[in-house]
Amino acid sequence: MAIQWFPGHMHLTQKAVEKRLKDIDVVIELLDARLPGSSANPMLAELTGHKPGLKVLNKQDLADPAVTALWLAHYDAQAQTRAIGLDASQATPARQLIDACHQLAPSRGGMAKPMRVLICGIPNVGKSTLINTLTGSRKAKTGDEAGITKLEQRIVLADDFYLWDTPGMLWPRIIVAQSGYNLAASGAVGRNAFDEEEVALELLRYLQRHYAGLVEARFKLAPIAGLGDEEVLEAIGRKRGALLGKGKVNLQKAAEVVMHEFRSGNLGRITLERPDEFAQWLAAGQLVDAEREAKKEARRRKRPANGPETL
Ligand code: G4P
């Protein structure tokens, strides 16, 4: 499935991040704890590679705590990187963020050397919610100061701690097929960009392998081991009365039910990728992508000068 989504403002975001970065001490990347690998932005990693990074696994209330622990350990093992879990139920997340940033950049602090932090994340990861909690009644500054573009806002978390916000951004090309599915399932990608039935089937395939008990309990199904993904979707449609005429299941409706139950957390706490699993998907995706690029390049070389490009 090709989910390609790169609205114009994302180009602007990239420029804004590039410009801001030279005066930044720590980059906070907000990730969706249900899909940390897929909700990361490879473009951001390229832009900010040399800066200390804090990975915030947000919406941890929806994610499988055991898998969140694996991801936290995975990030904590990386150089110049720390990771924390967070969710909107935490009333005072500022303390955790401030402490983690000080660990990453211990030389910053005090009025002479305030900590300057950039916060980024793909859409729907919960950034506005977090920033609203952080700012509380304080009004965030938006573009009313020299050097702050309309795309950014500066939040003063403490006298010596500034947080720069950038609007959401996604990467230009999703090279891991599973990431496309997981982003769609999580609600990060607009509804028009994917086929709900296809995404629901893919989601069920994963749930059947890792969380069959939760699916059976929520939809009151007999054991689903050994069933095909479409059979599981049909069984769910029947249970929920998503029917067309003559006893046929409305698969589209059933798919919507599955997605809703997953997104709302009604199915239980679920994570759609583990660090080792994601590393394998990424390696395979990169291989396919490199082959695709090589073929494209070969075609370009073959093409006569000024000839039409064949895609
Ligand atoms: P964004 O700025 O990164 O795009 O995300 P935003 O804060 O708008 O949050 C996207 C959705 O995720 C919102 O739900 C929000 O309530 C929900 N959300 C944010 N943080 C958390 C969290 O820690 N846990 C859970 N479970 N949900 C979280 P929505 O349905 O799109 O809107 P609404 O129903 O809240 O109005």
Side-chain angles (χ1 to χ4, degrees), residues 31-38 55 57 64-78 83 271-279:
L31 302 170
D32 188 325
R34 296 168 298 172
L35 45 145
S38 295
K55 309 289 181 191
L57 271 64
D64 181 337
V67 187
T68 298
L70 292 179
W71 279 102
L72 293 177
H74 167 79
Y75 289 122
D76 280 337
Q78 293 174 6
T271 303
L272 297 179
E273 47 203 41
R274 283 137 177 80
D276 52 346
E277 199 172 42
F278 185 78

PDB file of all heavy atoms in Angstrom, residues 31-38 55 57 64-78 83 271-279:
ATOM      1  N   LEU A  31       6.865  10.579  20.054  1.00  0.00           N
ATOM      2  CA  LEU A  31       6.522   9.389  19.274  1.00  0.00           C
ATOM      3  C   LEU A  31       5.217   8.827  19.802  1.00  0.00           C
ATOM      4  O   LEU A  31       4.854   9.057  20.958  1.00  0.00           O
ATOM      5  CB  LEU A  31       7.627   8.336  19.418  1.00  0.00           C
ATOM      6  CG  LEU A  31       9.028   8.773  18.984  1.00  0.00           C
ATOM      7  CD1 LEU A  31      10.064   7.737  19.391  1.00  0.00           C
ATOM      8  CD2 LEU A  31       9.072   9.012  17.479  1.00  0.00           C
ATOM      9  N   ASP A  32       4.536   8.074  18.977  1.00  0.00           N
ATOM     10  CA  ASP A  32       3.330   7.384  19.427  1.00  0.00           C
ATOM     11  C   ASP A  32       3.785   6.060  20.030  1.00  0.00           C
ATOM     12  O   ASP A  32       4.361   5.220  19.327  1.00  0.00           O
ATOM     13  CB  ASP A  32       2.397   7.152  18.231  1.00  0.00           C
ATOM     14  CG  ASP A  32       1.034   6.600  18.654  1.00  0.00           C
ATOM     15  OD1 ASP A  32       0.984   5.807  19.620  1.00  0.00           O
ATOM     16  OD2 ASP A  32       0.034   6.946  18.016  1.00  0.00           O
ATOM     17  N   ALA A  33       3.541   5.864  21.323  1.00  0.00           N
ATOM     18  CA  ALA A  33       4.052   4.669  22.011  1.00  0.00           C
ATOM     19  C   ALA A  33       3.496   3.376  21.407  1.00  0.00           C
ATOM     20  O   ALA A  33       4.066   2.315  21.617  1.00  0.00           O
ATOM     21  CB  ALA A  33       3.712   4.734  23.497  1.00  0.00           C
ATOM     22  N   ARG A  34       2.409   3.471  20.636  1.00  0.00           N
ATOM     23  CA  ARG A  34       1.864   2.256  20.006  1.00  0.00           C
ATOM     24  C   ARG A  34       2.653   1.889  18.756  1.00  0.00           C
ATOM     25  O   ARG A  34       2.575   0.772  18.265  1.00  0.00           O
ATOM     26  CB  ARG A  34       0.390   2.471  19.625  1.00  0.00           C
ATOM     27  CG  ARG A  34      -0.519   2.706  20.810  1.00  0.00           C
ATOM     28  CD  ARG A  34      -1.869   3.195  20.354  1.00  0.00           C
ATOM     29  NE  ARG A  34      -1.771   4.478  19.653  1.00  0.00           N
ATOM     30  CZ  ARG A  34      -2.770   5.066  19.009  1.00  0.00           C
ATOM     31  NH1 ARG A  34      -3.945   4.479  18.947  1.00  0.00           N
ATOM     32  NH2 ARG A  34      -2.604   6.230  18.422  1.00  0.00           N
ATOM     33  N   LEU A  35       3.409   2.850  18.198  1.00  0.00           N
ATOM     34  CA  LEU A  35       4.169   2.587  16.975  1.00  0.00           C
ATOM     35  C   LEU A  35       5.395   3.499  16.947  1.00  0.00           C
ATOM     36  O   LEU A  35       5.530   4.356  16.085  1.00  0.00           O
ATOM     37  CB  LEU A  35       3.298   2.791  15.723  1.00  0.00           C
ATOM     38  CG  LEU A  35       2.411   4.036  15.639  1.00  0.00           C
ATOM     39  CD1 LEU A  35       2.339   4.528  14.202  1.00  0.00           C
ATOM     40  CD2 LEU A  35       1.007   3.716  16.113  1.00  0.00           C
ATOM     41  N   PRO A  36       6.308   3.306  17.909  1.00  0.00           N
ATOM     42  CA  PRO A  36       7.443   4.234  18.018  1.00  0.00           C
ATOM     43  C   PRO A  36       8.287   4.309  16.745  1.00  0.00           C
ATOM     44  O   PRO A  36       8.686   5.414  16.335  1.00  0.00           O
ATOM     45  CB  PRO A  36       8.255   3.663  19.184  1.00  0.00           C
ATOM     46  CG  PRO A  36       7.266   2.886  19.982  1.00  0.00           C
ATOM     47  CD  PRO A  36       6.325   2.293  18.973  1.00  0.00           C
ATOM     48  N   GLY A  37       8.555   3.170  16.128  1.00  0.00           N
ATOM     49  CA  GLY A  37       9.399   3.180  14.924  1.00  0.00           C
ATOM     50  C   GLY A  37       8.723   3.907  13.781  1.00  0.00           C
ATOM     51  O   GLY A  37       9.321   4.766  13.128  1.00  0.00           O
ATOM     52  N   SER A  38       7.461   3.594  13.555  1.00  0.00           N
ATOM     53  CA  SER A  38       6.761   4.169  12.412  1.00  0.00           C
ATOM     54  C   SER A  38       6.413   5.635  12.620  1.00  0.00           C
ATOM     55  O   SER A  38       6.253   6.379  11.651  1.00  0.00           O
ATOM     56  CB  SER A  38       5.470   3.388  12.130  1.00  0.00           C
ATOM     57  OG  SER A  38       5.794   2.076  11.739  1.00  0.00           O
ATOM     58  N   LYS A  55      13.523  11.063  23.350  1.00  0.00           N
ATOM     59  CA  LYS A  55      12.368  10.416  22.713  1.00  0.00           C
ATOM     60  C   LYS A  55      11.265  10.326  23.753  1.00  0.00           C
ATOM     61  O   LYS A  55      11.470   9.731  24.822  1.00  0.00           O
ATOM     62  CB  LYS A  55      12.713   8.999  22.239  1.00  0.00           C
ATOM     63  CG  LYS A  55      13.972   8.913  21.391  1.00  0.00           C
ATOM     64  CD  LYS A  55      13.766   9.511  20.037  1.00  0.00           C
ATOM     65  CE  LYS A  55      15.028   9.407  19.183  1.00  0.00           C
ATOM     66  NZ  LYS A  55      14.941  10.210  17.965  1.00  0.00           N
ATOM     67  N   LEU A  57       7.783   8.762  24.434  1.00  0.00           N
ATOM     68  CA  LEU A  57       6.790   7.795  23.958  1.00  0.00           C
ATOM     69  C   LEU A  57       5.441   8.208  24.531  1.00  0.00           C
ATOM     70  O   LEU A  57       5.100   7.895  25.665  1.00  0.00           O
ATOM     71  CB  LEU A  57       7.176   6.368  24.388  1.00  0.00           C
ATOM     72  CG  LEU A  57       8.083   5.649  23.391  1.00  0.00           C
ATOM     73  CD1 LEU A  57       9.421   6.345  23.267  1.00  0.00           C
ATOM     74  CD2 LEU A  57       8.274   4.207  23.766  1.00  0.00           C
ATOM     75  N   ASP A  64       1.085  -1.168  25.013  1.00  0.00           N
ATOM     76  CA  ASP A  64       1.415  -2.339  25.828  1.00  0.00           C
ATOM     77  C   ASP A  64       2.628  -1.978  26.710  1.00  0.00           C
ATOM     78  O   ASP A  64       3.721  -1.712  26.177  1.00  0.00           O
ATOM     79  CB  ASP A  64       1.760  -3.482  24.849  1.00  0.00           C
ATOM     80  CG  ASP A  64       2.100  -4.781  25.554  1.00  0.00           C
ATOM     81  OD1 ASP A  64       2.489  -4.737  26.727  1.00  0.00           O
ATOM     82  OD2 ASP A  64       1.979  -5.835  24.894  1.00  0.00           O
ATOM     83  N   PRO A  65       2.462  -1.940  28.033  1.00  0.00           N
ATOM     84  CA  PRO A  65       3.564  -1.465  28.887  1.00  0.00           C
ATOM     85  C   PRO A  65       4.850  -2.283  28.742  1.00  0.00           C
ATOM     86  O   PRO A  65       5.946  -1.728  28.805  1.00  0.00           O
ATOM     87  CB  PRO A  65       3.008  -1.585  30.306  1.00  0.00           C
ATOM     88  CG  PRO A  65       1.630  -2.119  30.213  1.00  0.00           C
ATOM     89  CD  PRO A  65       1.243  -2.292  28.780  1.00  0.00           C
ATOM     90  N   ALA A  66       4.715  -3.590  28.513  1.00  0.00           N
ATOM     91  CA  ALA A  66       5.920  -4.428  28.389  1.00  0.00           C
ATOM     92  C   ALA A  66       6.708  -4.025  27.133  1.00  0.00           C
ATOM     93  O   ALA A  66       7.943  -4.002  27.139  1.00  0.00           O
ATOM     94  CB  ALA A  66       5.524  -5.901  28.317  1.00  0.00           C
ATOM     95  N   VAL A  67       5.990  -3.689  26.065  1.00  0.00           N
ATOM     96  CA  VAL A  67       6.683  -3.316  24.823  1.00  0.00           C
ATOM     97  C   VAL A  67       7.223  -1.888  24.932  1.00  0.00           C
ATOM     98  O   VAL A  67       8.296  -1.572  24.411  1.00  0.00           O
ATOM     99  CB  VAL A  67       5.762  -3.489  23.593  1.00  0.00           C
ATOM    100  CG1 VAL A  67       6.543  -3.259  22.310  1.00  0.00           C
ATOM    101  CG2 VAL A  67       5.136  -4.875  23.581  1.00  0.00           C
ATOM    102  N   THR A  68       6.509  -1.036  25.650  1.00  0.00           N
ATOM    103  CA  THR A  68       7.031   0.324  25.874  1.00  0.00           C
ATOM    104  C   THR A  68       8.383   0.225  26.598  1.00  0.00           C
ATOM    105  O   THR A  68       9.329   0.943  26.252  1.00  0.00           O
ATOM    106  CB  THR A  68       6.030   1.161  26.709  1.00  0.00           C
ATOM    107  OG1 THR A  68       4.820   1.272  25.966  1.00  0.00           O
ATOM    108  CG2 THR A  68       6.565   2.566  26.991  1.00  0.00           C
ATOM    109  N   ALA A  69       8.466  -0.694  27.567  1.00  0.00           N
ATOM    110  CA  ALA A  69       9.731  -0.864  28.296  1.00  0.00           C
ATOM    111  C   ALA A  69      10.858  -1.276  27.336  1.00  0.00           C
ATOM    112  O   ALA A  69      11.998  -0.805  27.456  1.00  0.00           O
ATOM    113  CB  ALA A  69       9.555  -1.905  29.402  1.00  0.00           C
ATOM    114  N   LEU A  70      10.533  -2.127  26.357  1.00  0.00           N
ATOM    115  CA  LEU A  70      11.549  -2.541  25.375  1.00  0.00           C
ATOM    116  C   LEU A  70      12.037  -1.341  24.561  1.00  0.00           C
ATOM    117  O   LEU A  70      13.224  -1.177  24.301  1.00  0.00           O
ATOM    118  CB  LEU A  70      10.965  -3.577  24.398  1.00  0.00           C
ATOM    119  CG  LEU A  70      10.601  -4.954  24.928  1.00  0.00           C
ATOM    120  CD1 LEU A  70      10.028  -5.817  23.801  1.00  0.00           C
ATOM    121  CD2 LEU A  70      11.861  -5.626  25.491  1.00  0.00           C
ATOM    122  N   TRP A  71      11.079  -0.499  24.149  1.00  0.00           N
ATOM    123  CA  TRP A  71      11.452   0.667  23.338  1.00  0.00           C
ATOM    124  C   TRP A  71      12.272   1.668  24.155  1.00  0.00           C
ATOM    125  O   TRP A  71      13.231   2.256  23.652  1.00  0.00           O
ATOM    126  CB  TRP A  71      10.199   1.347  22.772  1.00  0.00           C
ATOM    127  CG  TRP A  71       9.666   0.667  21.545  1.00  0.00           C
ATOM    128  CD1 TRP A  71       8.595  -0.165  21.464  1.00  0.00           C
ATOM    129  CD2 TRP A  71      10.197   0.755  20.212  1.00  0.00           C
ATOM    130  NE1 TRP A  71       8.409  -0.592  20.169  1.00  0.00           N
ATOM    131  CE2 TRP A  71       9.380  -0.043  19.386  1.00  0.00           C
ATOM    132  CE3 TRP A  71      11.273   1.429  19.635  1.00  0.00           C
ATOM    133  CZ2 TRP A  71       9.604  -0.180  18.004  1.00  0.00           C
ATOM    134  CZ3 TRP A  71      11.505   1.295  18.262  1.00  0.00           C
ATOM    135  CH2 TRP A  71      10.676   0.497  17.476  1.00  0.00           C
ATOM    136  N   LEU A  72      11.896   1.856  25.416  1.00  0.00           N
ATOM    137  CA  LEU A  72      12.644   2.807  26.253  1.00  0.00           C
ATOM    138  C   LEU A  72      14.095   2.333  26.386  1.00  0.00           C
ATOM    139  O   LEU A  72      15.033   3.119  26.247  1.00  0.00           O
ATOM    140  CB  LEU A  72      11.990   2.954  27.634  1.00  0.00           C
ATOM    141  CG  LEU A  72      10.603   3.624  27.657  1.00  0.00           C
ATOM    142  CD1 LEU A  72      10.033   3.643  29.075  1.00  0.00           C
ATOM    143  CD2 LEU A  72      10.659   5.053  27.118  1.00  0.00           C
ATOM    144  N   ALA A  73      14.261   1.025  26.631  1.00  0.00           N
ATOM    145  CA  ALA A  73      15.619   0.477  26.771  1.00  0.00           C
ATOM    146  C   ALA A  73      16.377   0.612  25.447  1.00  0.00           C
ATOM    147  O   ALA A  73      17.577   0.941  25.429  1.00  0.00           O
ATOM    148  CB  ALA A  73      15.535  -0.990  27.187  1.00  0.00           C
ATOM    149  N   HIS A  74      15.679   0.394  24.344  1.00  0.00           N
ATOM    150  CA  HIS A  74      16.279   0.498  23.011  1.00  0.00           C
ATOM    151  C   HIS A  74      16.846   1.908  22.787  1.00  0.00           C
ATOM    152  O   HIS A  74      17.978   2.079  22.345  1.00  0.00           O
ATOM    153  CB  HIS A  74      15.193   0.155  21.977  1.00  0.00           C
ATOM    154  CG  HIS A  74      15.528   0.498  20.569  1.00  0.00           C
ATOM    155  ND1 HIS A  74      16.353  -0.278  19.795  1.00  0.00           N
ATOM    156  CD2 HIS A  74      15.140   1.540  19.789  1.00  0.00           C
ATOM    157  CE1 HIS A  74      16.451   0.265  18.588  1.00  0.00           C
ATOM    158  NE2 HIS A  74      15.727   1.369  18.567  1.00  0.00           N
ATOM    159  N   TYR A  75      16.048   2.923  23.122  1.00  0.00           N
ATOM    160  CA  TYR A  75      16.512   4.301  22.906  1.00  0.00           C
ATOM    161  C   TYR A  75      17.581   4.693  23.927  1.00  0.00           C
ATOM    162  O   TYR A  75      18.547   5.368  23.584  1.00  0.00           O
ATOM    163  CB  TYR A  75      15.345   5.286  22.976  1.00  0.00           C
ATOM    164  CG  TYR A  75      14.414   5.188  21.792  1.00  0.00           C
ATOM    165  CD1 TYR A  75      13.066   4.914  21.951  1.00  0.00           C
ATOM    166  CD2 TYR A  75      14.900   5.363  20.491  1.00  0.00           C
ATOM    167  CE1 TYR A  75      12.217   4.815  20.862  1.00  0.00           C
ATOM    168  CE2 TYR A  75      14.066   5.264  19.394  1.00  0.00           C
ATOM    169  CZ  TYR A  75      12.717   4.993  19.587  1.00  0.00           C
ATOM    170  OH  TYR A  75      11.892   4.888  18.509  1.00  0.00           O
ATOM    171  N   ASP A  76      17.386   4.262  25.182  1.00  0.00           N
ATOM    172  CA  ASP A  76      18.358   4.638  26.216  1.00  0.00           C
ATOM    173  C   ASP A  76      19.750   4.074  25.911  1.00  0.00           C
ATOM    174  O   ASP A  76      20.753   4.604  26.388  1.00  0.00           O
ATOM    175  CB  ASP A  76      17.882   4.158  27.603  1.00  0.00           C
ATOM    176  CG  ASP A  76      16.837   5.104  28.196  1.00  0.00           C
ATOM    177  OD1 ASP A  76      16.801   6.283  27.788  1.00  0.00           O
ATOM    178  OD2 ASP A  76      16.047   4.669  29.050  1.00  0.00           O
ATOM    179  N   ALA A  77      19.789   2.994  25.122  1.00  0.00           N
ATOM    180  CA  ALA A  77      21.087   2.387  24.783  1.00  0.00           C
ATOM    181  C   ALA A  77      21.806   3.170  23.678  1.00  0.00           C
ATOM    182  O   ALA A  77      22.968   2.903  23.393  1.00  0.00           O
ATOM    183  CB  ALA A  77      20.874   0.937  24.345  1.00  0.00           C
ATOM    184  N   GLN A  78      21.114   4.120  23.057  1.00  0.00           N
ATOM    185  CA  GLN A  78      21.747   4.876  21.970  1.00  0.00           C
ATOM    186  C   GLN A  78      22.509   6.079  22.521  1.00  0.00           C
ATOM    187  O   GLN A  78      22.123   6.664  23.533  1.00  0.00           O
ATOM    188  CB  GLN A  78      20.682   5.350  20.972  1.00  0.00           C
ATOM    189  CG  GLN A  78      20.037   4.200  20.213  1.00  0.00           C
ATOM    190  CD  GLN A  78      18.890   4.650  19.335  1.00  0.00           C
ATOM    191  OE1 GLN A  78      18.627   5.832  19.192  1.00  0.00           O
ATOM    192  NE2 GLN A  78      18.201   3.695  18.734  1.00  0.00           N
ATOM    193  N   ALA A  83      15.016   8.324  26.781  1.00  0.00           N
ATOM    194  CA  ALA A  83      13.612   8.140  26.418  1.00  0.00           C
ATOM    195  C   ALA A  83      12.752   8.105  27.671  1.00  0.00           C
ATOM    196  O   ALA A  83      13.179   7.588  28.709  1.00  0.00           O
ATOM    197  CB  ALA A  83      13.453   6.833  25.640  1.00  0.00           C
ATOM    198  N   THR A 271       0.589  -2.503  21.351  1.00  0.00           N
ATOM    199  CA  THR A 271       1.660  -1.860  20.577  1.00  0.00           C
ATOM    200  C   THR A 271       1.870  -2.669  19.300  1.00  0.00           C
ATOM    201  O   THR A 271       1.907  -3.903  19.347  1.00  0.00           O
ATOM    202  CB  THR A 271       2.969  -1.798  21.403  1.00  0.00           C
ATOM    203  OG1 THR A 271       2.687  -1.103  22.618  1.00  0.00           O
ATOM    204  CG2 THR A 271       4.063  -1.066  20.645  1.00  0.00           C
ATOM    205  N   LEU A 272       1.994  -1.962  18.189  1.00  0.00           N
ATOM    206  CA  LEU A 272       2.007  -2.630  16.886  1.00  0.00           C
ATOM    207  C   LEU A 272       3.396  -2.961  16.370  1.00  0.00           C
ATOM    208  O   LEU A 272       3.519  -3.479  15.260  1.00  0.00           O
ATOM    209  CB  LEU A 272       1.278  -1.753  15.852  1.00  0.00           C
ATOM    210  CG  LEU A 272      -0.204  -1.521  16.140  1.00  0.00           C
ATOM    211  CD1 LEU A 272      -0.820  -0.617  15.078  1.00  0.00           C
ATOM    212  CD2 LEU A 272      -0.949  -2.863  16.189  1.00  0.00           C
ATOM    213  N   GLU A 273       4.410  -2.620  17.125  1.00  0.00           N
ATOM    214  CA  GLU A 273       5.769  -2.963  16.664  1.00  0.00           C
ATOM    215  C   GLU A 273       6.729  -3.034  17.841  1.00  0.00           C
ATOM    216  O   GLU A 273       6.620  -2.283  18.796  1.00  0.00           O
ATOM    217  CB  GLU A 273       6.245  -1.944  15.609  1.00  0.00           C
ATOM    218  CG  GLU A 273       6.018  -0.499  15.996  1.00  0.00           C
ATOM    219  CD  GLU A 273       5.952   0.447  14.802  1.00  0.00           C
ATOM    220  OE1 GLU A 273       5.338   0.092  13.780  1.00  0.00           O
ATOM    221  OE2 GLU A 273       6.495   1.552  14.903  1.00  0.00           O
ATOM    222  N   ARG A 274       7.651  -3.975  17.732  1.00  0.00           N
ATOM    223  CA  ARG A 274       8.705  -4.140  18.732  1.00  0.00           C
ATOM    224  C   ARG A 274      10.029  -3.702  18.090  1.00  0.00           C
ATOM    225  O   ARG A 274      10.155  -3.755  16.865  1.00  0.00           O
ATOM    226  CB  ARG A 274       8.787  -5.627  19.129  1.00  0.00           C
ATOM    227  CG  ARG A 274       7.679  -6.038  20.065  1.00  0.00           C
ATOM    228  CD  ARG A 274       7.067  -7.375  19.719  1.00  0.00           C
ATOM    229  NE  ARG A 274       6.046  -7.750  20.704  1.00  0.00           N
ATOM    230  CZ  ARG A 274       4.794  -7.273  20.720  1.00  0.00           C
ATOM    231  NH1 ARG A 274       4.387  -6.411  19.801  1.00  0.00           N
ATOM    232  NH2 ARG A 274       3.936  -7.639  21.649  1.00  0.00           N
ATOM    233  N   PRO A 275      11.006  -3.288  18.915  1.00  0.00           N
ATOM    234  CA  PRO A 275      12.230  -2.739  18.320  1.00  0.00           C
ATOM    235  C   PRO A 275      12.906  -3.675  17.307  1.00  0.00           C
ATOM    236  O   PRO A 275      13.275  -3.238  16.209  1.00  0.00           O
ATOM    237  CB  PRO A 275      13.145  -2.498  19.525  1.00  0.00           C
ATOM    238  CG  PRO A 275      12.226  -2.357  20.682  1.00  0.00           C
ATOM    239  CD  PRO A 275      11.035  -3.219  20.389  1.00  0.00           C
ATOM    240  N   ASP A 276      13.035  -4.972  17.665  1.00  0.00           N
ATOM    241  CA  ASP A 276      13.740  -5.878  16.744  1.00  0.00           C
ATOM    242  C   ASP A 276      12.925  -6.102  15.469  1.00  0.00           C
ATOM    243  O   ASP A 276      13.464  -6.165  14.360  1.00  0.00           O
ATOM    244  CB  ASP A 276      14.064  -7.211  17.428  1.00  0.00           C
ATOM    245  CG  ASP A 276      12.841  -7.837  18.077  1.00  0.00           C
ATOM    246  OD1 ASP A 276      11.817  -7.143  18.240  1.00  0.00           O
ATOM    247  OD2 ASP A 276      12.898  -9.039  18.418  1.00  0.00           O
ATOM    248  N   GLU A 277      11.618  -6.185  15.646  1.00  0.00           N
ATOM    249  CA  GLU A 277      10.713  -6.371  14.510  1.00  0.00           C
ATOM    250  C   GLU A 277      10.819  -5.169  13.556  1.00  0.00           C
ATOM    251  O   GLU A 277      10.966  -5.319  12.344  1.00  0.00           O
ATOM    252  CB  GLU A 277       9.317  -6.433  15.104  1.00  0.00           C
ATOM    253  CG  GLU A 277       8.238  -7.027  14.300  1.00  0.00           C
ATOM    254  CD  GLU A 277       6.990  -7.142  15.193  1.00  0.00           C
ATOM    255  OE1 GLU A 277       6.684  -6.205  15.974  1.00  0.00           O
ATOM    256  OE2 GLU A 277       6.342  -8.172  15.119  1.00  0.00           O
ATOM    257  N   PHE A 278      10.782  -3.987  14.149  1.00  0.00           N
ATOM    258  CA  PHE A 278      10.823  -2.785  13.321  1.00  0.00           C
ATOM    259  C   PHE A 278      12.154  -2.695  12.573  1.00  0.00           C
ATOM    260  O   PHE A 278      12.195  -2.303  11.411  1.00  0.00           O
ATOM    261  CB  PHE A 278      10.585  -1.515  14.155  1.00  0.00           C
ATOM    262  CG  PHE A 278      10.496  -0.299  13.289  1.00  0.00           C
ATOM    263  CD1 PHE A 278       9.333  -0.011  12.588  1.00  0.00           C
ATOM    264  CD2 PHE A 278      11.587   0.542  13.118  1.00  0.00           C
ATOM    265  CE1 PHE A 278       9.255   1.083  11.738  1.00  0.00           C
ATOM    266  CE2 PHE A 278      11.521   1.639  12.271  1.00  0.00           C
ATOM    267  CZ  PHE A 278      10.346   1.907  11.591  1.00  0.00           C
ATOM    268  N   ALA A 279      13.237  -3.072  13.250  1.00  0.00           N
ATOM    269  CA  ALA A 279      14.556  -3.017  12.598  1.00  0.00           C
ATOM    270  C   ALA A 279      14.560  -3.896  11.345  1.00  0.00           C
ATOM    271  O   ALA A 279      15.128  -3.532  10.316  1.00  0.00           O
ATOM    272  CB  ALA A 279      15.638  -3.463  13.576  1.00  0.00           C
TER     273      ALA A 279
END
